[in-house]
Amino acid sequence: MNEALPLAVTLTHAMLEAARAGDWEQVVALEAERHPLVMQPVAGDEDSVRQLGELLAMDRELGVLVTHARDQAGEQWQAGQDRARAIAAYGG
């Protein structure tokens, strides 16, 4: 039996937990470990199909969390840029 898919599901769950906690370095490290596993062929049996569905559902949630974090980081960066411009204009 190929253990790649169950391990990929486990790693994806860990990635999701890390993303929920805002530990993006851990998400990246786990993705590097998971990537070769998700590139392997998946069997068509019922259990594999169920696990693949679970993995895809977690991936969708991860995508939402990543998008939210990216947007927040962009907003923080923009606010910093706006402050810097205001300080330069006021002090310059």
Side-chain angles (χ1 to χ4, degrees), residues 64-79:
V64 169
L65 293 170
V66 167
T67 298
H68 181 70
R70 181 200 63 214
D71 291 349
Q72 280 187 319
E75 289 169 8
Q76 289 173 352
W77 180 84
Q78 187 61 53

Side-chain angles (χ1 to χ4, degrees), residues 40-91:
Q40 295 185 21
V42 176
D45 63 277
E46 187 176 321
D47 192 45
S48 294
V49 170
R50 180 194 54 76
Q51 288 179 335
L52 184 57
E54 183 181 342
L55 187 142
L56 292 172
M58 287 188 288
D59 268 354
R60 284 189 295 274
E61 186 175 346
L62 273 167
V64 169
L65 293 170
V66 167
T67 298
H68 181 70
R70 181 200 63 214
D71 291 349
Q72 280 187 319
E75 289 169 8
Q76 289 173 352
W77 180 84
Q78 187 61 53
Q81 292 297 309
D82 292 347
R83 276 192 297 278
R85 276 193 292 276
I87 291 169
Y90 182 74

Side-chain angles (χ1 to χ4, degrees), residues 11-52:
L11 289 170
T12 305
H13 186 265
M15 289 171 62
L16 188 54
E17 291 302 314
R20 288 175 180 153
D23 187 351
W24 299 107
E25 289 181 22
Q26 181 68 8
V27 172
V28 170
L30 290 166
E31 171 56 20
E33 189 176 345
R34 181 187 85 143
H35 181 74
L37 301 172
V38 297
M39 299 308 291
Q40 295 185 21
V42 176
D45 63 277
E46 187 176 321
D47 192 45
S48 294
V49 170
R50 180 194 54 76
Q51 288 179 335
L52 184 57

